[in-house]
Every structure is written in structure tokens, then in C-alpha cells.
Amino acid sequence: MVELSSRYTPKDVEERLYQQWESQALFHAEPDRRAPYTIVIPPPNVTGILHMGHALNNTIQDICIRFRRMQGANALWVPGTDHAGIATQNVVEKQLAKEGLRRQDLGREQFLQRVWQWKEQYGNTIIRQLKRLGSSCDWQRTRFTMDEGLSEAVAEVFIRLYEKGLIYRGNYIINWCPRCQTALSDEEAPRKETRGKLYYLKYPLVQGSGFKVQGGPRTSNLEPRTHVVVATTRPETMLGDTAVAVHPKDKRYKSLIGKTAILPLVGRELKIIADEAVDPEFGTGAVKVTPAHDPVDFQLGKTHKLEFINVMTDDGRMTNVPKEYEGLDRFECRKRLLATLEGQGMLEKTADHLHAVGHCYRCDTVIEPRLSLQWFVKMKPLAQPAIEAVKKKRITFTPARWTKVYLNWMEHIQDWCISRQIWWGHRIPVYYCQRCPADRVIVSKTPPGKCPKCGSTNLKQDEDVLDTWFSSWLWPFSTLGWPKKSKDLDYFYPTDTLVTAPEIIFFWVARMIMAGLFCMEDVPFRQVYIHGTVRDLTGKKMSKSLGNIIDPLDIIGQFGADALRYTLVTSTAVGTDVFISEEKFVVGRNFANKLWNVTRYVLSTVQGSRFKVQGHPSPFNLEPRTLSVADRWILSRLSHAIAEVTKALDRYAFNEAAQTAYELIWRDFCDWYVEVSKVRSQKSEVQLAVLAHVLETALRLLHPVMPFVTEELWQHVKPAGSPASIMTAPWPKAEKRWLDAEAEEQFALFKAVVTAIRNTKAELNVPLETKPPVQLSTKREAVRRFFEDQRPFLQVLAQVGDVTVGEGLMKPRDASATVVDGIEVIVPLSGLIDAAKERRRIQARVQELTEELGRLDVRLKDRQFTQRAPEDVVNQAKQRREQVTETLQKFTGHLQLLESL
RNA sequence: GGGCGAUUAGCUCAGUUGGUCAGAGCAGCGGAUUUACAUUCCGCAGGUCCCUGGUUCGAGCCCAGGAUCGCCCACCA
């Protein structure tokens, strides 16, 4: 606890607190008698640094967990990182490259040592940043997907799946990244709309295959057909073509079926086959078939027993091709090949073509679909129960629309390629006996001593490692001890809430559900909240390549983590995207500052009184009779706010929760209650109690959103017998007995009258210190009595002199009168304003404005300006012109009024 | 080719089941400085709630159609 200075300095407060929180293990949770509440943190990539997406994600989770913790739940939030196989390996390889080394130079073992070294040194960055953000994770439980226990879980689930026949190895077309030189799952190879070309290639027909065409491509109409034209976006793959396919019902090609074409440049004979898979509408209706490099062609190859010719190496160079192309990069080969074909007149035409091309999600290299021997997980049997679980609402999505997205993906799920040709990761627990046939595999958690079949000790482990997600999908239970039995697992599983971004639904959410049901026979969590994407003000996703990143750590440095959290959370309605700019964080900072200062004020009023703010009894029992209307009003507002914030947090409406707390604290408490309180006798213990109580409660109410400032301030105002930290203080209860419709109505009336008087004074530029007498006229007797009571408050808040309350009061000729809620507010004006002085002031201002208007007019009439200057500059000038005109009119009105006085 | 979301004040956005919902913040403008807070206070917003129909006593809010923008999914080479 520190002395509260006049300036709020989030940096100092936050720095101190977050280190305290960490060392005191305040967020540690063990199974006990309380109801558990568990939240699953998406383990961030170990190479990652905190970006806005993380900041939003973790702020939301932290709000949830702090909210539940205060509600008395045994709240557990297990933090950690995943090993991010490809990304981490890339990082370390880059490091090596600076030393002129490749990973192969070190060898597998040494390379892995380097990666571990790197992990020890840098892998903690994001964890540290999450702490700085205020995340109240159980840091003692921090896990890493390569930890011993989690690794065991990976091997265990591999074996279980294998034994159930759900893991298999086979040659299929997979997504290959030639840069990372590994296979990728479909999810890791997102498709991007790409402007490409569609090349129309002529494949000559073997003599005797030619014939007259009926309505084929126009060029060959009525001529003896000498060739068939195929269209392709990846011409280089033609070197691996082993057939040409057409649709069986396509009249244009009917008589070509069974004939033979010649592959240009190579000279290979290609059978012309018929298959329903061919779309007669696309291209020429004839398609080249490259079974080793395209998923559809692969299928064709299988059905028609074609040859599979792989024409590319692991790094995307050509192989098994004519000499002049051997060893060329795939795109270089494409260029040269097209040039040659064109020279030979074999390139019929080139058309622009928009298509979706897979890109590596780690390095953005264009994916090469390629035939390769890999391990796969059979997904359909795993997906079925996962679909059921969601359909039966054992898991619910918020917003609900994501349910459909999830179900749609699950229903069309493809098998999952899980082997990766990298070194950093969980090595596949499979061994091959060198003496037995190659397809004989031994699946084992630990290296088997000898082949169970032939007894040979010459065994070799599979070289590949597993997809990182193959360990992440076990996170909800592997972090709690699975496959071992544990108290934690019994107590905390299934967990309650998962908070994540939409792009993670397929990668992780869906797979966790499948893994949970498979391994634990229960869902891993009950609610999934999908928040939005963080975007800049133009709606673009924040990304390094666009250069529109706002660094959360930067914001924390400038405005504080509380400000960051507040602004992020108020900028997003349930499940909508978050649009932010740097200025928006000022709002959060100002709010923290406001809290700081109002606390200072409350503490200062108490000083010297018998009332003790810190340690005052709570819940306090006040006699309703002793409360003023303002007291009753603010207590009522407080109760409403508590109910609303609680309800909002229950339904993930974080923006509404934050907004409600903001309105209560700033608009109601600071702007009105505190101001009113200044009028009353400082010795009023009732008032001091209300001030302290409302402030203290509001701090608790806001704590999940702004943990640092609320913790610090709460230490100064907490009631006797409170816990050491606001984090474990009870969540505020909405006291029904404080709900007070009458007080709310009366105080609203009071505010309306004050505002009306302020308006009148402001309109006429009555100096603040001038206190005009005011008459309030109304027929309602109760209202008259009320204002009689409120006279002193009215005088201070509206800065007025005598207040006359009556019925049917006469309005003097030179008085201003406004009616609010049936009350006529009469402010006599004569003698209030030094008319001459005011007239001079206004005239001077009018002159200034007139001159400015003149300048603007000249400018706007200048064609050079209006036509050549940037549009927004011109618009700005126009806008300014309107403003000036408006202001001038206002002043003219004032002048007229002054004349009439 | 499917699916989803958005369209409300100059800007960024709220508006839970249709009836004080036409709002907030920022920007702008006019004013205030012996103040808990200038990271402040007071006052000022007339915006066809994208368009067109429909349901209803009544619609930003429900329905149908359309427009614009954005996102996701899909093996048309």
C-alpha cells in the first residue's frame, strides 16, 4: 500500500503488484470443498510474443476467472505454452544460419539441445507478458507441451488410437511446404484467393486417334483433330502426367476415350480415360492427370490404375524429368517450360484465373500437394461423439452462430495428417524392425528391446515427429495429470469455459472435444466463448506484414494494463470484432485516474472525522430514516449496477459490464453524489459511510476488468475483517432493500432542474460566480416540499442564489423560463450580466469569426483549391465553414437578447 | 459455389426478448481554473437507424427481396 499521490501512476502500481501476485501464489488452486471453476487457456506458441489478440483473449479469460473467484468458486486457470514445432524449429534454424550452419550439420540430438537451450532462454517471454497483463493464472502449474507428463499423454493417446485402428500410415496426397520441408494438415495450409493463370496446353494425339470433331474448341472445329487441349494452373506438374481424363458423357470427347495422347517434352504416352470426376464445364473439359501431385488426380490414379510419378524433391525442385528441367525450382521450371511450349506452338492460350491456393501457415510459402508416406488419424469415428455432444448441448457456443460452423466442419471432416518431417516435437512412438517386412510396425511408449516377432534388436524409430496440435488437443486433461489418475483430474475435469478466437475452432476447439470424449469419455469444457478479431480502425486484421500493429506492451507502458484491458473490453460487444486505435486507450487511462482521485477525495474527507474508512463495519446497517435522498439514490444506483454487471458478465457481455461500472462510478458517483456530498456537513457519519461503502463496492465490481488499480485502492478502503486481497473479496451483492424507485425519481428531478439552470446560465454566459435567484413553480405539493429540502444542494450544484419555491409564480418580463417535468424554472436576468461588457466580448468574437468566414469563403471559391487539394482537406474547410456560420448565428442571438435587457 | 457477419451522429461503436432507444466515447464548438481529478468540470448533436416491400395498434429491433463491405468454408484441374 502506498500513499496516494495526486497523480495516478499505473506503471509503479502495476509493476509492483504483478510481481507480488506472482510470488504470493494467490491464484493457486487445489481441489477442495468449493465448487470448481476451470478455464482453459489456449497455450500460446512458445515463440510468440504478446499481440493484441492475446491481450484481448487473456483479458476476457481473466475477467471470467476473477469474477468466479470472487463469487467463491475454486477458480483454476492453467497457463502454459505449446512447443510450436515448425515455428520454433524455424527460429532456431535461422539462428544457426547466422553461424553458417544447417540443422543437418549438428545432427538431430545436438540440434534438439540447441532448441531446448533456446526455449529456456526465450520461451518464457509470453508467460511474463501475460503476468504483466494481470492474468491471474495458477503460475505454479505452468505447463509446456513437451513436459514429461504431457509427452507421455501424447504417446499414450497415439497408442490408444492406433490400437483402436484410428491411426494408420499410408501414401496419400498431403500439403507439402517446400520451405519447411514437411507435411502439413489441411488446417495448416489455409487457402488464399490468388490471381493466377490458367494455361491451355496442347497434347498431341497418337496417329490414328485424330478425327473430325463435332463442336469442340473452335480452333479445331471441322479439322482433323491432331491434339487434345488441357487446362492447368500448375503446368510444371505436367511432367508427372500419366493420363488425360474427360467426362464419360462429354460428346466432344466421346470418341477420344481409350485413345492415346503424347505428353509434350517428355514423350510419354497418356491414356485418355473417362471419369465422372471431370467437370465438362471447366477449361476445355479435358484434364491432365498427375496422380502424384493432385488429390483429385490421385483418386483417378487409384481407380484407373495409373502410374504415380513424383516429379518434385522435398525442397520443391524438379526430379524424374527431362534433363533440361532436372533440379530446377518449380516456379523457374514453370517459366521455362511455358516458354518452350509456346515456342513449339503447344501453348494454345493463357487466361487469368482466380483460385484458392494453399499457403504454409508458418512461412506463407505456396503449398505443393504431393504424394507422400505419412501418418493419419481417422477422424470420422472421433467426430461422431463430438457432433453429438454439441447437438445435445453438453457444450454450447457463444455466440450461438459458431455452433453451425463447428458442426459443418465436423460433418465434413477429413483425416488428419499428423506426421511432420521436422525434429522438434514428440517423436512418433513407432519402431520398425529392420529384419521384418517394412510395413511391420511396433508401437510402443518406450523403445522396445527387440522385435516381438523375430527377436531382432535392430530396430529403428520413426524419424518423424507429431503435429503440435496432436499434443495441444489433450491440454484440458493432460495438464491435470492424464494419463495418470489424479485428484486434480477428478475434481477439475471437465472444465467450465474455453475462451478463444474463431480461427482456432478447427485447429483446437474441435480437436479438444474429440480428444476429451475419446480419452476421458466426457467433454473437455461446457461453454465456448468465441470472441472477435482485433482490427485497426479501417477494419484490417492487425498483422506484421500490414504494419498496422499496436503493441500491447507499448500500450501498457504508456497507459497501463488496466487501461489496455478496459479499452479492449469496452470495444467489443458479445462476439464482435474489436476495432482499436491508440487514442482509444486514453479513455481507459482516464478512468483509472478518475478512480484514483475520487478515492483520494473520499479518504481526505474522512480524515479528522471519527469515521474510519478503512475498517468500517460492513455490511453496514444504516437507518433508512437517516439517509438523504442522495444517499438513497446512489445506493439504489449501486444495487442496479451490481445486478447489471453480474448479469452482463454471466452472458459474456463484457462491454456492458465495463460500461455499467463506468457510468456508476463516473457519471453517478463522481459527477453527482460526490458533488452533493461536498455541500453537506463533513461530519455526517452517515454520508461518510455511504461514500466509503459505494466506493469500496464499486471497486470490487470493477476489479475483474481493472485488477491493478482496484486492488491498490481497495487496500485503502476495505472494511474490517476483509481478505488480504480484493481478488478473494466477495463479489458485491445487489441489495434489494437499497432499490429505491422513489429516490431515483426524485433525484432525477433534482438533476433535471440543476441541468436546466446550468443551461440557462451557459446560454447567456452568466459568469459562474454570479448567482442569480431562481424560482421554481409547480402545482405538485410533494415536489415543492422536496425542493425546499434540496435548497442548499441546488444552490451549490447550480450556482444560484435565493431559491423560491411556489405555485403559479409570476415570470418577470426579463426572465428566462424553462419547464422540466412540470416544474417551471424561472431565472430573472436583469442585473446578472454586465451587458456592455458582454456585448463587447461577443462583438470581438463575432469579428474574429467573420474574418475567418471570409477567409474560408475565398478559399472555397478558389477553383485551384477545390479541385486540386485532397478531398478531405476541402471537406474539412467546408465543415469548418458550417461550424463558424453556426457559431455566428448563436452569437447574433445572444446579442439580440442582450439588447432586450 | 455454399455459409456467416456488418451497414445507426464527422469518426469508432452500444442498443438483451418489437412500445421513454434514437444513445455513448472520441473529434468539434462555447464556457469554467483559489478544484479529489485539465488524465478535470459545465453546456452544445436534430442523424431517411443502407434501400424496397410486408407483418403489427406500434419496428434499428420481426419477415421477404435487393445493394455495399468484410470474413469463413469448398479437391473445378
Side-chain angles (χ1 to χ4, degrees), chain A residues 685-706:
Chain A
E685 291 221 6
V686 171
Q687 174 177 296
L688 293 177
V690 175
L691 269 174
H693 175 76
V694 173
L695 175 62
E696 189 272 327
T697 311
L699 287 172
R700 278 185 284 139
L701 197 57
L702 188 64
H703 176 255
V705 177
M706 303 179 91

Side-chain angles (χ1 to χ4, degrees), chain A residues 730-741:
Chain A
W731 183 250
K733 264 212 217 79
E735 299 277 357
K736 273 219 173 97
R737 67 194 170 115
W738 295 126
L739 291 178
D740 191 334

Side-chain angles (χ1 to χ4, degrees), chain A residues 123 211 394 508 577 711 721 769 775:
Chain A
F211 70 112
R394 287 164 65 202
W508 195 48
D577 285 350
E711 169 77 299
E769 61 273 19
Q775 297 175 9

